[in-house]
Amino acid sequence: QVQLVESGGGLVQAGGSLRLSCAASGRTFSNYAMGWFRQAPGKERELVAGISRSGGTTYYEDFVKGRFTISRDNAKNTGTLQMNSLKPEDTAAYYCAAGRMMNFRDYEGYEYWGQGTQVTVSS
């Protein structure tokens, strides 16, 4: 089992920044790729970004490219999503997830999920 706990969400004005953290415990964090997802009210959960087990490979959905940066520190068992130039449409609950899938977009491959942290961007 891997337990994931997100933090860092909040209310920010458009154009602002937030830094989300994901603290992992339990099994060896470095054995799992990690992804950040989001879900807005009335919408399906969607992938935002992914990072490989070593951190050497990252993936971003087009709608966050150039604005968000995913990273991880396996020594500290943490993952991070730096969000800059936030837009009102980024408003959602954000979740970190971990899994051993080969494809970041393999939603079913994520085995462990956090409880989420709310991000609200005002216009």
Short mmCIF file of all heavy atoms in Angstrom, two decimals, residues 48-82:
data_model
loop_
_atom_site.label_atom_id
_atom_site.label_comp_id
_atom_site.label_asym_id
_atom_site.label_seq_id
_atom_site.Cartn_x
_atom_site.Cartn_y
_atom_site.Cartn_z
N VAL A 48 -3.43 15.71 -15.58
CA VAL A 48 -2.79 17.01 -15.75
C VAL A 48 -1.33 16.80 -16.17
O VAL A 48 -0.87 17.38 -17.16
CB VAL A 48 -2.85 17.82 -14.45
CG1 VAL A 48 -2.03 19.10 -14.57
CG2 VAL A 48 -4.29 18.13 -14.08
N ALA A 49 -0.62 15.99 -15.42
CA ALA A 49 0.81 15.76 -15.68
C ALA A 49 1.23 14.44 -15.05
O ALA A 49 0.59 13.96 -14.11
CB ALA A 49 1.65 16.90 -15.11
N GLY A 50 2.31 13.87 -15.59
CA GLY A 50 2.84 12.64 -15.04
C GLY A 50 4.35 12.69 -14.98
O GLY A 50 4.99 13.46 -15.71
N ILE A 51 4.92 11.87 -14.11
CA ILE A 51 6.38 11.81 -13.97
C ILE A 51 6.78 10.38 -13.71
O ILE A 51 6.10 9.65 -12.99
CB ILE A 51 6.86 12.77 -12.87
CG1 ILE A 51 8.38 12.88 -12.86
CG2 ILE A 51 6.31 12.37 -11.50
CD1 ILE A 51 8.90 14.05 -12.02
N SER A 52 7.87 9.97 -14.32
CA SER A 52 8.32 8.60 -14.20
C SER A 52 8.90 8.32 -12.81
O SER A 52 9.08 9.23 -12.00
CB SER A 52 9.39 8.31 -15.26
OG SER A 52 10.52 9.17 -15.06
N ARG A 53 9.21 7.05 -12.56
CA ARG A 53 9.69 6.65 -11.25
C ARG A 53 10.97 7.40 -10.85
O ARG A 53 11.12 7.80 -9.70
CB ARG A 53 9.94 5.15 -11.24
CG ARG A 53 8.68 4.33 -11.28
CD ARG A 53 8.99 2.85 -11.37
NE ARG A 53 9.62 2.50 -12.64
CZ ARG A 53 10.02 1.28 -12.94
NH1 ARG A 53 9.89 0.30 -12.07
NH2 ARG A 53 10.55 1.03 -14.10
N SER A 54 11.85 7.57 -11.79
CA SER A 54 13.11 8.26 -11.49
C SER A 54 13.00 9.77 -11.57
O SER A 54 13.88 10.49 -11.09
CB SER A 54 14.19 7.79 -12.47
OG SER A 54 13.88 8.27 -13.78
N GLY A 55 11.94 10.24 -12.20
CA GLY A 55 11.79 11.68 -12.41
C GLY A 55 12.39 12.13 -13.72
O GLY A 55 12.31 13.31 -14.07
N GLY A 56 12.95 11.21 -14.48
CA GLY A 56 13.63 11.57 -15.71
C GLY A 56 12.72 11.86 -16.89
O GLY A 56 13.13 12.51 -17.86
N THR A 57 11.49 11.40 -16.80
CA THR A 57 10.52 11.62 -17.89
C THR A 57 9.27 12.28 -17.32
O THR A 57 8.75 11.84 -16.30
CB THR A 57 10.14 10.30 -18.54
OG1 THR A 57 11.31 9.67 -19.07
CG2 THR A 57 9.13 10.52 -19.66
N THR A 58 8.83 13.32 -17.98
CA THR A 58 7.61 14.00 -17.57
C THR A 58 6.66 14.10 -18.75
O THR A 58 7.07 14.03 -19.91
CB THR A 58 7.89 15.41 -17.02
OG1 THR A 58 8.59 16.17 -18.02
CG2 THR A 58 8.73 15.35 -15.75
N TYR A 59 5.41 14.30 -18.40
CA TYR A 59 4.36 14.42 -19.42
C TYR A 59 3.38 15.49 -18.96
O TYR A 59 3.05 15.57 -17.77
CB TYR A 59 3.63 13.08 -19.58
CG TYR A 59 2.40 13.16 -20.45
CD1 TYR A 59 2.50 13.07 -21.83
CD2 TYR A 59 1.15 13.37 -19.89
CE1 TYR A 59 1.38 13.18 -22.63
CE2 TYR A 59 0.02 13.46 -20.68
CZ TYR A 59 0.15 13.37 -22.05
OH TYR A 59 -0.96 13.46 -22.85
N TYR A 60 2.92 16.30 -19.90
CA TYR A 60 1.93 17.33 -19.60
C TYR A 60 0.82 17.31 -20.64
O TYR A 60 1.07 17.16 -21.84
CB TYR A 60 2.58 18.72 -19.61
CG TYR A 60 3.68 18.89 -18.59
CD1 TYR A 60 5.00 18.65 -18.92
CD2 TYR A 60 3.38 19.30 -17.29
CE1 TYR A 60 6.02 18.79 -17.98
CE2 TYR A 60 4.39 19.46 -16.35
CZ TYR A 60 5.70 19.20 -16.71
OH TYR A 60 6.69 19.34 -15.78
N GLU A 61 -0.38 17.48 -20.15
CA GLU A 61 -1.47 17.69 -21.08
C GLU A 61 -1.32 19.08 -21.68
O GLU A 61 -0.76 20.00 -21.07
CB GLU A 61 -2.81 17.55 -20.39
CG GLU A 61 -3.14 16.13 -19.97
CD GLU A 61 -3.42 15.18 -21.13
OE1 GLU A 61 -3.37 15.61 -22.30
OE2 GLU A 61 -3.67 13.99 -20.86
N ASP A 62 -1.84 19.25 -22.89
CA ASP A 62 -1.63 20.50 -23.62
C ASP A 62 -2.12 21.72 -22.84
O ASP A 62 -1.53 22.80 -22.92
CB ASP A 62 -2.33 20.44 -24.97
CG ASP A 62 -1.61 19.54 -25.97
OD1 ASP A 62 -0.43 19.19 -25.71
OD2 ASP A 62 -2.21 19.19 -27.00
N PHE A 63 -3.20 21.54 -22.08
CA PHE A 63 -3.80 22.71 -21.43
C PHE A 63 -2.97 23.24 -20.27
O PHE A 63 -3.28 24.30 -19.72
CB PHE A 63 -5.25 22.42 -21.00
CG PHE A 63 -5.42 21.18 -20.17
CD1 PHE A 63 -5.13 21.18 -18.82
CD2 PHE A 63 -5.91 20.01 -20.76
CE1 PHE A 63 -5.30 20.04 -18.06
CE2 PHE A 63 -6.09 18.87 -20.00
CZ PHE A 63 -5.78 18.88 -18.64
N VAL A 64 -1.89 22.54 -19.87
CA VAL A 64 -1.03 23.06 -18.81
C VAL A 64 0.41 23.22 -19.24
O VAL A 64 1.25 23.73 -18.47
CB VAL A 64 -1.07 22.18 -17.54
CG1 VAL A 64 -2.48 22.09 -17.00
CG2 VAL A 64 -0.46 20.81 -17.79
N LYS A 65 0.73 22.83 -20.45
CA LYS A 65 2.11 22.94 -20.92
C LYS A 65 2.60 24.39 -20.84
O LYS A 65 1.90 25.30 -21.25
CB LYS A 65 2.22 22.44 -22.36
CG LYS A 65 2.33 20.94 -22.47
CD LYS A 65 2.50 20.53 -23.93
CE LYS A 65 2.60 19.02 -24.05
NZ LYS A 65 2.68 18.59 -25.47
N GLY A 66 3.79 24.57 -20.31
CA GLY A 66 4.36 25.89 -20.18
C GLY A 66 3.93 26.63 -18.94
O GLY A 66 4.49 27.69 -18.62
N ARG A 67 2.93 26.11 -18.23
CA ARG A 67 2.44 26.77 -17.01
C ARG A 67 2.70 25.94 -15.76
O ARG A 67 2.97 26.49 -14.70
CB ARG A 67 0.95 27.04 -17.14
CG ARG A 67 0.56 27.92 -18.30
CD ARG A 67 -0.90 28.34 -18.21
NE ARG A 67 -1.82 27.22 -18.28
CZ ARG A 67 -2.76 26.96 -17.37
NH1 ARG A 67 -2.89 27.73 -16.30
NH2 ARG A 67 -3.57 25.91 -17.52
N PHE A 68 2.57 24.63 -15.88
CA PHE A 68 2.72 23.73 -14.73
C PHE A 68 4.02 22.94 -14.86
O PHE A 68 4.46 22.63 -15.96
CB PHE A 68 1.57 22.75 -14.66
CG PHE A 68 0.23 23.33 -14.31
CD1 PHE A 68 0.00 24.69 -14.28
CD2 PHE A 68 -0.83 22.47 -13.98
CE1 PHE A 68 -1.23 25.22 -13.95
CE2 PHE A 68 -2.07 22.99 -13.65
CZ PHE A 68 -2.27 24.35 -13.65
N THR A 69 4.60 22.61 -13.71
CA THR A 69 5.81 21.79 -13.68
C THR A 69 5.65 20.70 -12.62
O THR A 69 5.35 21.00 -11.47
CB THR A 69 7.05 22.63 -13.35
OG1 THR A 69 7.20 23.67 -14.31
CG2 THR A 69 8.30 21.75 -13.37
N ILE A 70 5.83 19.46 -13.05
CA ILE A 70 5.76 18.34 -12.13
C ILE A 70 7.17 17.91 -11.76
O ILE A 70 8.09 17.94 -12.59
CB ILE A 70 4.98 17.16 -12.76
CG1 ILE A 70 4.71 16.07 -11.72
CG2 ILE A 70 5.69 16.60 -13.98
CD1 ILE A 70 3.75 14.98 -12.22
N SER A 71 7.34 17.53 -10.51
CA SER A 71 8.65 17.07 -10.05
C SER A 71 8.45 16.10 -8.89
O SER A 71 7.33 15.95 -8.39
CB SER A 71 9.53 18.24 -9.62
OG SER A 71 8.95 18.94 -8.55
N ARG A 72 9.52 15.46 -8.50
CA ARG A 72 9.45 14.55 -7.36
C ARG A 72 10.80 14.47 -6.68
O ARG A 72 11.84 14.71 -7.32
CB ARG A 72 8.99 13.15 -7.80
CG ARG A 72 9.97 12.42 -8.69
CD ARG A 72 9.34 11.14 -9.25
NE ARG A 72 9.06 10.18 -8.20
CZ ARG A 72 8.22 9.13 -8.37
NH1 ARG A 72 7.61 8.95 -9.54
NH2 ARG A 72 8.02 8.28 -7.39
N ASP A 73 10.78 14.13 -5.41
CA ASP A 73 11.99 13.92 -4.63
C ASP A 73 11.83 12.58 -3.95
O ASP A 73 11.14 12.47 -2.92
CB ASP A 73 12.17 15.05 -3.61
CG ASP A 73 13.47 14.94 -2.84
OD1 ASP A 73 14.03 13.82 -2.76
OD2 ASP A 73 13.94 15.95 -2.31
N ASN A 74 12.43 11.55 -4.54
CA ASN A 74 12.25 10.21 -4.00
C ASN A 74 12.89 10.05 -2.62
O ASN A 74 12.45 9.22 -1.82
CB ASN A 74 12.81 9.18 -4.97
CG ASN A 74 11.93 9.00 -6.20
OD1 ASN A 74 10.74 9.29 -6.15
ND2 ASN A 74 12.52 8.56 -7.29
N ALA A 75 13.91 10.83 -2.35
CA ALA A 75 14.54 10.74 -1.03
C ALA A 75 13.62 11.25 0.06
O ALA A 75 13.69 10.80 1.21
CB ALA A 75 15.83 11.55 -1.02
N LYS A 76 12.74 12.17 -0.30
CA LYS A 76 11.78 12.72 0.67
C LYS A 76 10.39 12.17 0.49
O LYS A 76 9.46 12.58 1.19
CB LYS A 76 11.76 14.24 0.55
CG LYS A 76 13.08 14.91 0.90
CD LYS A 76 12.97 16.42 0.80
CE LYS A 76 14.29 17.09 1.19
NZ LYS A 76 14.20 18.57 1.10
N ASN A 77 10.23 11.25 -0.47
CA ASN A 77 8.91 10.65 -0.73
C ASN A 77 7.85 11.71 -1.00
O ASN A 77 6.73 11.64 -0.46
CB ASN A 77 8.47 9.76 0.43
CG ASN A 77 9.30 8.50 0.53
OD1 ASN A 77 9.90 8.06 -0.45
ND2 ASN A 77 9.33 7.91 1.71
N THR A 78 8.19 12.66 -1.82
CA THR A 78 7.24 13.72 -2.13
C THR A 78 7.18 13.98 -3.62
O THR A 78 8.17 13.80 -4.36
CB THR A 78 7.60 15.03 -1.43
OG1 THR A 78 8.92 15.43 -1.82
CG2 THR A 78 7.54 14.90 0.08
N GLY A 79 6.04 14.44 -4.05
CA GLY A 79 5.84 14.90 -5.41
C GLY A 79 5.29 16.31 -5.36
O GLY A 79 4.66 16.71 -4.38
N THR A 80 5.54 17.06 -6.41
CA THR A 80 5.14 18.45 -6.42
C THR A 80 4.57 18.83 -7.78
O THR A 80 5.00 18.32 -8.81
CB THR A 80 6.38 19.34 -6.15
OG1 THR A 80 6.91 19.01 -4.87
CG2 THR A 80 5.98 20.81 -6.14
N LEU A 81 3.60 19.71 -7.74
CA LEU A 81 3.07 20.31 -8.96
C LEU A 81 3.10 21.81 -8.78
O LEU A 81 2.33 22.36 -8.00
CB LEU A 81 1.64 19.83 -9.24
CG LEU A 81 1.05 20.31 -10.57
CD1 LEU A 81 1.77 19.66 -11.74
CD2 LEU A 81 -0.44 20.00 -10.63
N GLN A 82 4.01 22.46 -9.47
CA GLN A 82 4.09 23.91 -9.45
C GLN A 82 3.17 24.45 -10.53
O GLN A 82 3.32 24.10 -11.71
CB GLN A 82 5.53 24.37 -9.70
CG GLN A 82 5.72 25.87 -9.78
CD GLN A 82 5.46 26.56 -8.46
OE1 GLN A 82 5.89 26.10 -7.41
NE2 GLN A 82 4.75 27.68 -8.51
#
